Amino acid sequence: MSTHDTAMKNATTQIRRALDDKALKPSIAGFFDEATNTISYVVHDPATNEAAIIDSVLDYDAAAGRTSNGSADLIIEYVTKNDLTVTWLIETHAHADHISAAPYLQEKLGGRLAIGREIIRVQEVFGKLFNAGTEFQRDGSQFDHLFDDGETFKLGTLEGIALHVPGHTPADMAFIIGDAAFVGDTIFMPDFGTARADFPGGDARQLYQSIKRLLSLPEDTRLFLCHDYKAPGRDEYAWETTVGQQKRENVHVKEGTSEDEFVEMRTARDKTLAMPKLIMPSVQVNIRGGRLPEPEDNGVSYIKIPVNAV
């Protein structure tokens, strides 16, 4: 049996156990940042209060070039109020729409900063784009841990499994904890569809295959999404769905949608989309684990904006 098949078998077994045993279900709190349409999560084991923070947001004023910590401080308040111990700070991928607050949260709360191993490929591509120089290490060393496909981890008494789900970027990961899957940017609410696949290293066919991988999990698996944009006709933000609902209703990739149909749709749609407003600062910082570039000789960090390069 291949590593891919073993990972999916283990994930399916874990989810079914958690669906049958409430003690194996994590407690989950979502924190919505309307400025970037991002949802960050605090996931914890009720038995031990061990927690993971997934896809945190650092507030960034692009016009002023200033960062602030309001969104992250809400997470700190929640963690402190509930007496949680943070053991993991997880990034599903190197985000192009917001800067990660993981280093700030790590300083305040502890925990190990982790991302998928393929971040090395993303660092190589964007290191060249931003002319980062030899001082920028393209080996993932900015993170405390690099997850491999199918790798297991613990959150207190709960089991976790990391799944590689490339397509949006080469490094996207989904993280299964108990009966819940945190799927990053692979898929959105069923009425909004799926993530774009036109960033450097993105691939619509890979994205289709990754989504199908996720939708092969048990139908009652809870899916927690990284973004929501309120599809036309819906007045409220939403970020939790299930495998079954996605298979029945997703407007881009529901059951019966072929790979060729999806690739044709996704390619045409991506050509109409503008780049995310914060892509240049976000990627430049997030490939460094959420840390700003090293200060220059005047003590100031600078964000580069490559002109006519993408």
Side-chain angles (χ1 to χ4, degrees):
M1 184 180 292
S2 69
T3 301
H4 180 283
D5 292 339
T6 299
M8 293 308 296
K9 180 179 179 181
N10 291 344
T12 297
T13 299
Q14 174 186 302
I15 290 166
R16 285 178 175 157
R17 285 177 57 216
L19 289 169
D20 291 337
D21 186 347
K22 291 183 179 180
L24 300 177
K25 293 185 178 182
S27 293
I28 300 166
F31 296 80
F32 182 70
D33 177 59
E34 191 164 2
T36 61
N37 294 89
T38 302
I39 305 93
S40 305
Y41 296 98
V42 177
V43 189
H44 81 268
D45 172 21
T48 65
N49 275 6
E50 281 197 27
I53 299 172
I54 300 177
D55 291 337
S56 61
V57 174
L58 182 72
D59 302 318
Y60 179 68
D61 182 340
R66 297 193 66 87
T67 64
S68 57
N69 302 311
S71 297
D73 284 339
L74 291 175
I75 291 176
I76 293 173
E77 180 182 357
Y78 176 85
V79 168
T80 303
K81 181 179 178 181
N82 289 279
D83 196 27
L84 305 181
T85 299
V86 174
T87 54
W88 289 102
L89 298 147
I90 292 173
E91 302 292 334
T92 55
H93 62 295
H95 308 279
D97 38 38
H98 72 270
I99 294 174
S100 169
Y104 174 73
L105 290 168
Q106 187 175 45
E107 178 185 349
K108 300 294 184 181
L109 300 172
R112 300 175 71 196
L113 175 56
I115 199 167
R117 185 169 299 280
E118 292 301 310
I119 187 61
I120 295 169
R121 289 180 57 195
V122 177
Q123 288 177 330
E124 184 64 33
V125 170
F126 283 99
K128 291 178 181 177
L129 176 64
F130 293 116
N131 198 29
T134 56
E135 68 277 8
F136 171 57
Q137 298 298 312
R138 297 157 171 83
D139 59 2
S141 59
Q142 300 83 356
F143 299 84
D144 300 315
H145 186 76
L146 302 180
F147 279 109
D148 292 307
D149 184 42
E151 184 177 345
T152 61
F153 61 99
K154 298 287 288 186
L155 187 65
T157 62
L158 302 179
E159 296 285 344
I161 297 177
L163 298 178
H164 187 211
V165 287
H168 175 61
T169 79
D172 279 64
M173 301 291 287
F175 293 89
I176 315 295
I177 302 175
D179 69 326
F182 300 87
V183 299
D185 285 14
T186 53
I187 201 164
F188 301 138
M189 289 300 290
D191 56 1
F192 200 86
T194 61
R196 65 195 299 166
D198 60 333
F199 294 152
D203 185 290
R205 289 194 184 278
Q206 278 193 333
L207 180 61
Y208 178 88
Q209 292 159 10
S210 293
I211 291 170
K212 286 298 183 182
R213 189 182 196 198
L214 291 172
L215 297 189
S216 71
L217 295 169
E219 292 207 350
D220 288 341
T221 304
R222 295 185 289 166
L223 302 182
F224 290 88
L225 318 178
C226 191
H227 295 288
D228 187 56
Y229 303 95
K230 286 198 301 190
R234 175 159 54 85
D235 296 327
E236 296 182 351
Y237 291 109
W239 48 81
E240 180 180 351
T241 178
T242 65
V243 165
Q245 185 183 18
Q246 292 282 8
K247 289 167 70 173
R248 293 188 299 270
E249 302 175 17
N250 189 283
V251 294
H252 292 168
V253 72
K254 64 185 177 184
E255 282 188 311
T257 304
S258 72
E259 182 173 320
D260 287 341
E261 289 171 335
F262 176 80
V263 170
E264 181 179 3
M265 176 282 301
R266 190 68 264 171
T267 302
R269 180 174 173 80
D270 287 350
K271 289 178 180 179
T272 71
L273 301 177
M275 285 290 101
K277 293 179 181 179
L278 295 182
I279 185 171
M280 294 303 175
S282 295
V283 172
Q284 201 166 159
V285 174
N286 291 336
I287 59 176
R288 293 175 165 87
R291 299 173 184 88
L292 295 172
E294 286 295 314
E296 297 192 7
D297 56 11
N298 62 354
V300 177
S301 294
Y302 289 87
I303 299 291
K304 294 180 179 180
I305 305 295
V307 178
N308 298 326
V310 293

